[in-house]
Amino acid sequence: MGLNKKSVDDFSAAGKRVLVRCDFNVPLKNGEITDETRIVAALPTIQKLVNDGGKVILCSHLGKVKNGPNEGESLAPVAKRLSEKLGKEVKFVADYNVTGEAATAAVAAMQPGDVILLQNTRFRGAEETKNGAEFSKELADLCDDYVCDAFGSSHRAHASVAGVTEYVRAKGGNCTVGYLMEKEINFLGNAVENPVRPFVAILGGAKVADKLNVISNLLEKCDTLIIGGGMAYTFLKAQGYEVGTSLCDDSKLDYCKEMMAKAEQLGKKLLLPVDTVVTSEFPNPIDAKIATEVYDSTQLPADKMGMDIGPKTQAMYAEAVKSAKTVVWNGPMGVFENPILAKGTVAVAQALADTDATTVIGGGDSAAAINQLGFADKVTHISTGGGASLEFLEGKELPGVYAADDK
């Protein structure tokens, strides 16, 4: 899916009220932001609209909001951090209704170049429901134009992501994507749809079930598919090998056989671990010191648990990456939160850092691993969306992208 969508460069925001859907779903600890990656990622679009003389109205969700509006999931800390980053006040509208009187009054008082941030969109229960039409319309009433820059939420057809566009468009407003969305789709889209070959895809993480369609879609696009993480054990069991107490999804054994047959039929390489780091039990706490052994993947003991790819596999996977021109990676190779069990993930990250290929990290745990291990500045692009990048890799249309105006 290439990006043939209007961006913030395709209209003038001067004097206009522009609603920007951002992804400010940042981690908070005791009311303090512990990782500001998503805030920093939103700055170029906001700055562009401010420089144009737009009246910039920001909105986002934060957390899952299970028990209704609460101060623990308020966007107030984000407004504070944004003000510091932009070097100007970002006025926070602490209205639990999100689009109520306080928001309407704040927007009415705006001058060109002003920035306000609305309250957590999920405080309005209608945000996530199919009948969020009223909320969508109220959001559209606040603005003249709309910009979606929330890639991390673009796979959800929520009121503030997709629903609002219908009402903005109906009154002649522009519905565009921001710089972050443009970057995400260009990198992920081009990497998968128009890769410079050889194209190597690396999939890890815990479950095969999470990546069913991704495996199938990527086999059709890539030259080599590398499997690591917990999902590798279902593949190994599907080949008839003992996997001990390792994570394994018996209901997906036939699927794994089908995928191995598909790779052979398409002439694609499908690489599985040849050796495995095992432990007697899962570390508790997760970063606790733990005794490990290395076994050939075809000879895992019945009472042990596979926790990471072994040294031979690390070398094999690094070698496969070395010759690549495009690499997409989604999912760690083992329990990377534990330093002893992070070596496989480190080896893959190092291989990506050492290559001249275009390297794209598909959000979620692999993004966390790359950041945590200190390789973030050595890769071409790290996606800000976990679920969104996975659905993108499956070849799905993302509502937040689809809803923007075509060029």
Side-chain angles (χ1 to χ4, degrees):
M1 173 167 58
L3 180 69
N4 192 30
K5 295 291 182 181
K6 281 188 179 170
S7 82
V8 282
D9 288 329
D10 294 317
F11 78 102
S12 170
K16 309 274 275 301
R17 299 169 304 160
V18 185
L19 179 69
V20 187
R21 177 48 157 101
C22 299
D23 182 9
F24 292 144
N25 187 23
V26 294
L28 290 171
K29 194 170 185 182
N30 304 323
E32 293 293 320
I33 297 164
T34 57
D35 182 350
E36 60 181 32
T37 307
R38 286 176 166 167
I39 291 174
V40 172
L43 294 174
T45 296
I46 298 168
Q47 197 66 64
K48 155 83 166 111
L49 295 168
V50 167
N51 293 348
D52 280 359
K55 301 171 183 180
V56 186
I57 306 151
L58 308 174
C59 68
S60 173
H61 78 282
L62 174 66
K64 301 223 185 295
V65 191
K66 292 271 187 262
N67 305 310
N70 65 89
E71 279 307 296
E73 289 171 304
S74 165
L75 282 169
V78 174
K80 184 171 170 242
R81 185 67 60 90
L82 261 176
S83 300
E84 293 163 9
K85 294 279 175 199
L86 284 169
K88 65 180 296 160
E89 188 200 0
V90 174
K91 186 176 180 190
F92 180 58
V93 185
D95 174 2
Y96 280 4
N97 189 47
V98 187
T99 53
E101 285 176 23
T104 309
V107 171
M110 290 180 86
Q111 297 299 313
D114 283 356
V115 184
I116 66 171
L117 173 62
L118 303 179
Q119 186 52 283
N120 189 339
T121 54
R122 288 196 183 163
F123 283 4
R124 272 288 285 267
E127 162 74 338
E128 299 173 66
T129 59
K130 292 274 186 276
N131 57 358
E134 190 185 341
F135 186 32
S136 298
K137 185 177 184 312
E138 286 172 23
L139 284 166
D141 286 344
L142 291 176
C143 69
D144 302 304
D145 299 297
Y146 170 77
V147 176
C148 186
D149 210 21
F151 183 73
S153 300
S154 64
H155 59 311
R156 306 193 187 284
H158 289 171
S160 65
V161 175
V164 61
T165 60
E166 186 187 328
Y167 297 94
V168 171
R169 200 173 283 116
K171 59 183 185 179
N174 295 288
C175 294
T176 75
V177 295
Y179 291 137
L180 176 61
M181 284 279 278
E182 198 170 34
K183 188 177 169 197
E184 290 276 15
I185 294 155
N186 282 340
F187 273 110
L188 274 171
N190 286 330
V192 177
E193 298 300 331
N194 308 300
V196 181
R197 296 189 182 277
F199 169 26
V200 175
I202 307 168
L203 290 179
K207 300 174 187 159
V208 173
D210 293 346
K211 309 255 165 87
L212 291 179
N213 298 328
V214 182
I215 295 167
S216 186
N217 190 45
L218 284 179
L219 269 178
E220 288 167 22
K221 316 274 188 192
C222 70
D223 301 298
T224 300
L225 180 61
I226 292 174
I227 303 279
M231 60 196 287
Y233 306 109
T234 308
F235 276 91
L236 290 169
K237 189 167 181 179
Q239 289 182 316
Y241 298 121
E242 170 68 61
V243 295
T245 57
S246 309
L247 201 60
C248 182
D249 185 348
D250 287 345
S251 71
K252 297 291 179 280
L253 294 173
D254 286 342
Y255 173 82
C256 289
K257 286 176 191 167
E258 276 170 40
M259 289 302 106
M260 289 186 280
K262 180 173 179 170
E264 198 170 333
Q265 184 191 336
L266 294 172
K268 307 295 174 80
K269 275 188 196 159
L270 177 65
L271 300 182
L272 291 166
V274 292
D275 60 344
T276 299
V277 175
V278 302
T279 63
S280 299
E281 59 192 352
F282 200 86
N284 183 17
I286 200 162
D287 57 353
K289 281 198 168 174
I290 194 158
T292 63
E293 299 169 272
V294 178
Y295 283 86
D296 279 355
S297 297
T298 56
Q299 294 172 337
L300 298 183
D303 60 343
K304 302 277 185 189
M305 184 181 288
M307 291 298 220
D308 193 12
I309 57 173
K312 286 183 197 160
T313 306
Q314 291 168 27
M316 177 173 82
Y317 288 3
E319 192 60 36
V321 166
K322 211 178 271 180
S323 60
K325 290 280 184 280
T326 305
V327 186
V328 172
W329 177 22
N330 185 289
M333 297 292 101
V335 185
F336 76 95
E337 299 90 343
N338 186 306
I340 299 164
L341 305 171
K343 289 174 184 157
T345 304
V346 171
V348 168
Q350 186 67 59
L352 264 65
D354 292 343
T355 180
D356 294 330
T358 297
T359 48
V360 180
I361 311 298
D365 280 345
S366 19
I370 273 277
N371 283 319
Q372 193 177 309
L373 301 170
F375 289 97
D377 59 340
K378 305 282 197 306
V379 294
T380 314
H381 179 68
I382 301 175
S383 177
T384 55
S389 57
L390 263 187
E391 291 200 11
F392 201 96
L393 295 176
E394 282 179 34
K396 283 187 181 173
E397 275 280 13
L398 306 182
V401 178
Y402 187 70
D405 295 339
D406 291 326
K407 276 191 177 172

